Short mmCIF file of all heavy atoms in Angstrom, two decimals:
data_model
loop_
_atom_site.label_atom_id
_atom_site.label_comp_id
_atom_site.label_asym_id
_atom_site.label_seq_id
_atom_site.Cartn_x
_atom_site.Cartn_y
_atom_site.Cartn_z
N ILE A 242 -3.53 19.59 6.38
CA ILE A 242 -3.24 20.45 5.22
C ILE A 242 -1.74 20.78 5.24
O ILE A 242 -1.18 21.09 6.28
CB ILE A 242 -4.09 21.77 5.27
CG1 ILE A 242 -5.56 21.40 5.11
CG2 ILE A 242 -3.62 22.74 4.18
CD1 ILE A 242 -6.49 22.59 5.10
N MET A 243 -1.11 20.65 4.06
CA MET A 243 0.33 20.93 3.97
C MET A 243 0.61 21.96 2.90
O MET A 243 -0.15 22.09 1.93
CB MET A 243 1.08 19.64 3.58
CG MET A 243 1.09 18.61 4.68
SD MET A 243 2.16 17.24 4.23
CE MET A 243 1.98 16.23 5.69
N VAL A 244 1.71 22.68 3.05
CA VAL A 244 2.15 23.60 2.00
C VAL A 244 3.55 23.18 1.53
O VAL A 244 3.71 22.61 0.48
CB VAL A 244 2.11 25.08 2.46
CG1 VAL A 244 2.58 26.00 1.32
CG2 VAL A 244 0.70 25.47 2.87
N ASP A 245 4.57 23.45 2.37
CA ASP A 245 5.94 23.18 1.88
C ASP A 245 6.33 21.72 2.05
O ASP A 245 7.14 21.19 1.28
CB ASP A 245 6.94 24.08 2.59
CG ASP A 245 7.03 23.78 4.06
OD1 ASP A 245 5.98 23.58 4.68
OD2 ASP A 245 8.16 23.73 4.60
N GLY A 246 5.80 21.06 3.06
CA GLY A 246 6.14 19.64 3.27
C GLY A 246 7.51 19.42 3.85
O GLY A 246 8.00 18.29 3.87
N THR A 247 8.14 20.49 4.34
CA THR A 247 9.51 20.34 4.88
C THR A 247 9.68 20.94 6.28
O THR A 247 10.79 21.23 6.69
CB THR A 247 10.56 21.00 3.93
OG1 THR A 247 10.21 22.39 3.83
CG2 THR A 247 10.54 20.36 2.55
N GLY A 248 8.58 21.18 6.98
CA GLY A 248 8.68 21.66 8.36
C GLY A 248 8.86 23.15 8.50
O GLY A 248 9.15 23.63 9.60
N MET A 249 8.69 23.92 7.43
CA MET A 249 8.97 25.38 7.48
C MET A 249 7.74 26.23 7.75
O MET A 249 7.85 27.25 8.39
CB MET A 249 9.58 25.82 6.16
CG MET A 249 10.76 25.04 5.70
SD MET A 249 12.26 25.55 6.49
CE MET A 249 12.66 26.96 5.48
N CYS A 250 6.54 25.82 7.24
CA CYS A 250 5.42 26.76 7.25
C CYS A 250 4.51 26.57 8.47
O CYS A 250 3.76 27.48 8.84
CB CYS A 250 4.59 26.61 5.98
SG CYS A 250 3.71 25.04 5.85
N GLY A 251 4.52 25.42 9.08
CA GLY A 251 3.69 25.20 10.27
C GLY A 251 2.25 24.81 9.96
O GLY A 251 1.45 24.57 10.86
N CYS A 252 1.91 24.76 8.67
CA CYS A 252 0.54 24.51 8.26
C CYS A 252 0.01 23.15 8.72
O CYS A 252 -1.18 23.02 9.04
CB CYS A 252 0.51 24.60 6.73
SG CYS A 252 -1.11 24.59 6.06
N CYS A 253 0.87 22.18 8.77
CA CYS A 253 0.42 20.80 9.06
C CYS A 253 0.44 20.47 10.56
O CYS A 253 0.42 19.30 10.93
CB CYS A 253 1.28 19.81 8.30
SG CYS A 253 3.00 19.84 8.85
N ARG A 254 0.46 21.51 11.39
CA ARG A 254 0.59 21.32 12.85
C ARG A 254 -0.54 20.47 13.41
O ARG A 254 -1.71 20.68 13.10
CB ARG A 254 0.54 22.71 13.51
CG ARG A 254 0.47 22.71 15.00
CD ARG A 254 0.66 24.10 15.54
NE ARG A 254 -0.43 25.03 15.21
CZ ARG A 254 -1.56 25.11 15.88
NH1 ARG A 254 -1.79 24.30 16.91
NH2 ARG A 254 -2.48 26.00 15.55
N PHE A 263 4.70 18.37 13.56
CA PHE A 263 4.46 18.71 12.17
C PHE A 263 4.38 17.41 11.40
O PHE A 263 5.34 16.63 11.37
CB PHE A 263 5.56 19.61 11.64
CG PHE A 263 5.61 20.94 12.34
CD1 PHE A 263 6.72 21.36 13.04
CD2 PHE A 263 4.50 21.78 12.34
CE1 PHE A 263 6.74 22.55 13.73
CE2 PHE A 263 4.51 22.98 13.00
CZ PHE A 263 5.63 23.38 13.70
N VAL A 264 3.21 17.22 10.77
CA VAL A 264 2.97 15.91 10.10
C VAL A 264 4.01 15.65 9.02
O VAL A 264 4.47 14.52 8.85
CB VAL A 264 1.53 15.88 9.51
CG1 VAL A 264 1.30 14.61 8.71
CG2 VAL A 264 0.50 15.96 10.63
N CYS A 265 4.47 16.72 8.33
CA CYS A 265 5.36 16.51 7.19
C CYS A 265 6.74 16.01 7.59
O CYS A 265 7.36 15.26 6.83
CB CYS A 265 5.48 17.77 6.35
SG CYS A 265 6.20 19.16 7.21
N VAL A 266 7.23 16.42 8.75
CA VAL A 266 8.58 15.98 9.12
C VAL A 266 8.61 15.02 10.33
O VAL A 266 9.51 14.21 10.45
CB VAL A 266 9.53 17.18 9.41
CG1 VAL A 266 9.93 17.86 8.11
CG2 VAL A 266 8.93 18.16 10.39
FE1 LIG B 22 4.75 23.17 6.25
FE2 LIG B 22 4.52 20.77 7.41
S1 LIG B 22 3.69 21.41 5.53
S2 LIG B 22 5.44 22.56 8.20
#
Side-chain angles (χ1 to χ4, degrees):
I242 295 182
M243 291 188 179
V244 180
D245 66 318
T247 60
M249 307 278 278
C250 68
C252 189
C253 64
R254 173 171 68 82
F263 296 119
V264 175
C265 63
V266 287

